[in-house]
Structures are given as structure tokens and as C-alpha cells.
Amino acid sequence: MKTRYSYGGDEHIFVEMDEEMSLDAFFKALFITNAVRDAKIKGVTEICPANASMQIKFDPDVIKPADMLSELKKFESVAEKAEPVIKTRIIEIPVYYNDPWTHETLMRFRERHQDPKSTDIEYAARINNLDGPDGFIKAHSGAPWFVSMVGFVAGLPFLYQMVDRQRQIEAPKYLRPRTDTPKLTIGHGGCFGCIYSVRGAGGYQMFGITPMPIYDPNQKISYLRDFMCLFKPGDIVKWKPIDRAQYDATVADVDAGKFAPLMRNVTFSLADFHKDIDASNRKLNEVLHGH
């Protein structure tokens, strides 16, 4: 698909890189949004990267819509020639799969689900041809995930599984949304994973919960003092399965201000990833654990 540009009223330009999500489309959008930010174009008031698209908000009294469009097209031609490499972070997120809180919630909303007789994780395992909940957890936590956008609600990351398309976990949203989802639920809808940053309504399948806060508007949690949202597009997430005792211990450490997330700076090359996905993922894991 050729990049599609469209105006949103007088002060937005929406740019669609592709109709389907891919890391290539994401990288192109990320390059352009970073280039717009670095260029400090007068009149640009907001830059919003998304999964395979982006939106720029600008003041039409400062820069004309046609001039803004031509600036973006210039950046696109540079993006097409640029080497797809980013300096980013890999972050380990502990997950208590099949936890009692999401289980209690999903049981309350079975009539809204595709398969009322099974749990969300059993259903997702079955439709992805995985060997029950254990096989699902192994597949879900076995490879890293890319943060492709942050939003919908404050601090909520959308996550794209870093495996070839045939191995990607896919699961539809609930038939009708729930009116409740526990805070820090690990969810999934379509090809995207997410972490619910706050309690509220939701329609994604629920697989577990993390004890690690990812959003703190009061900025009192030690690792969220500089910025209230943990994630930014381009971050890489690695799930770490934990049990109830580890979950409780981590909650206590967070409350005591003693918890420090495991995160490392890393250089990620999309070309190397495409060359050998599993080798690229192993290298990321080695960086994370300091090997």
C-alpha cells in the first residue's frame, strides 16, 4: 500500500503507512514522527505515533496545511532510505497468569464471550492450536513484544509480538465489552497485547495480571517519578511468568518503594530481526539478563 495522507479538519494530518500492522510500517511512522519532533517545525502542536500510522496536529495560522503536508512527504522519502535501527529499552514485566482477580472478572462476563464454557486463556490456547494454558503461557512469554503505541487510556501500551506472522497469537475481543477489568490486567485483542493501566471497561481477552505499576499520575512510585507513564513507542517488553508468592512479594516491594524493574538499553535493528527472528530475540534476552 502506498502511504495515505488525509486532512482532519483544518489542523490535523493523518498518515496511514499500511492497512495492516507490521514492524516495517511502525518503524516508518516512528522515523517520521521523530524527524518532525527533531525538526521543531513552527506551528506543530502535537505528534501522535500509532501502530501503523501517525497524526500531526498543527496551527494553520502558523503553517498552512499544504506546507505541513509537503514537509511530511519530505520526511517520508528520507524514511524510505534510512537504516531501520533504534536505540531503545527492553523491560521485563512479571505476569501472574491465571490469577484469581481476572478469573473472577471473566467468570462474571461469560455471557459476553465467544466460549462461555472456558476461560479466556483456555479459549485463546485452543484457537491458536496451543497445548492448553501451559502451552499458551510458554508461547505468550517466550518471545519479546514491541510497544507500538501508548494511549486509549493514559499509559496503556499496545504490544506487537515479535515472531513471524504464523506464530503470532491472535484472539478476538469479547462479543460485547465488559464493564470491568482489573488494573494491570494483561489483555489481548486481534494481534495486539496490552496492559490495562487503570481499572475500567474493556473487551480484550484477559490472561493474567502484573504486580508492576505502569502508570502513576502522582509520580510517587520510584521508577515513575520522572514521568507518570512507563512506556513509549519503540520499547520492548519481555514477560516473566511468576506465581502467587512472587506476585505478593513484588506488590510488597512496590508498596515499600523497593521494587526496581529489570530494564536495559538496547540497539534494535529491524534488518537483523528479519534476517533471523529467533537469533535476534535471543540476543535481546541476553542483553536483558546481562549475558
Side-chain angles (χ1 to χ4, degrees):
M1 166 187 158
K2 191 170 181 292
T3 305
R4 190 156 53 210
Y5 293 85
S6 50
Y7 290 111
D10 294 333
E11 50 185 33
H12 294 90
I13 294 179
F14 177 66
V15 189
E16 193 177 6
M17 304 300 161
D18 205 332
E19 288 180 346
E20 64 178 20
M21 172 60 190
S22 69
L23 287 180
D24 299 80
F26 168 80
F27 262 71
K28 193 172 171 185
L30 188 67
F31 181 94
I32 296 171
T33 52
N34 285 342
V36 171
R37 189 175 291 111
D38 294 343
K40 295 183 168 59
I41 300 164
K42 281 185 180 168
V44 171
T45 56
E46 205 170 329
I47 302 165
C48 184
N51 294 320
S53 60
M54 51 176 264
Q55 185 164 283
I56 304 293
K57 185 179 181 186
F58 57 94
D59 182 345
D61 292 331
V62 178
I63 182 167
K64 292 176 185 171
D67 292 340
M68 186 73 245
L69 182 64
S70 67
E71 289 286 343
L72 290 175
K73 287 186 173 176
K74 270 192 272 182
F75 289 132
E76 186 195 356
S77 63
V78 176
E80 283 167 352
K81 299 184 190 93
E83 193 180 352
V85 174
I86 58 168
K87 291 189 181 303
T88 185
R89 308 176 294 173
I90 182 165
I91 307 168
E92 184 174 83
I93 305 289
V95 184
Y96 179 19
Y97 289 95
N98 268 330
D99 66 283
W101 305 285
T102 59
H103 181 79
E104 185 276 330
T105 305
L106 66 87
M107 293 309 289
R108 276 193 280 132
F109 292 98
R110 283 342 269 162
E111 82 286 354
R112 303 183 185 212
H113 195 273
Q114 289 84 353
D115 186 357
K117 292 184 178 152
S118 70
T119 64
D120 292 8
I121 208 165
E122 288 167 344
Y123 168 70
R126 181 168 56 76
I127 65 170
N128 285 281
N129 299 311
L130 297 166
D131 186 18
D134 289 344
F136 179 87
I137 292 165
K138 192 175 174 188
H140 189 266
S141 63
W145 297 62
F146 213 87
V147 177
S148 54
M149 67 174 276
V150 179
F152 187 67
V153 296
L156 183 150
F158 285 79
L159 301 148
Y160 184 75
Q161 194 177 17
M162 294 166 65
V163 292
D164 53 273
R165 194 154 291 229
Q166 291 87 341
R167 284 188 286 164
Q168 280 184 340
I169 292 167
E170 293 201 27
K173 294 191 282 188
Y174 275 40
L175 298 174
R176 288 185 296 129
R178 300 177 302 275
T179 54
D180 191 20
T181 309
K183 179 183 174 183
L184 298 176
T185 289
I186 308 303
H188 197 95
C191 71
F192 289 107
C194 82
I195 306 172
Y196 282 80
S197 51
V198 295
R199 183 180 181 182
Y204 278 22
Q205 307 287 333
M206 297 184 290
F207 301 146
I209 203 161
T210 178
M212 178 180 155
I214 60 166
Y215 169 65
D216 178 17
N218 301 313
Q219 292 176 252
K220 289 182 177 171
I221 292 168
S222 57
Y223 56 90
L224 296 173
R225 280 187 190 133
D226 292 337
F227 191 60
M228 66 181 72
C229 300
L230 175 64
F231 294 110
K232 53 183 183 282
D235 281 341
I236 297 169
V237 164
K238 185 69 169 61
W239 309 116
K240 178 191 177 185
I242 59 171
D243 60 21
R244 176 63 190 264
Q246 291 168 301
Y247 176 89
D248 290 342
T250 305
V251 168
D253 284 348
V254 169
D255 291 344
K258 293 193 296 185
F259 179 74
L262 179 59
M263 60 174 85
R264 300 271 189 265
N265 293 325
V266 66
T267 300
F268 178 78
S269 161
L270 186 61
D272 289 349
F273 177 79
H274 283 321
K275 209 179 292 173
D276 190 332
I277 291 173
D278 292 336
S280 174
N281 287 344
R282 275 195 303 273
K283 189 174 164 191
L284 287 170
N285 208 39
E286 286 165 7
V287 171
L288 181 64
H289 293 106
H291 297 162

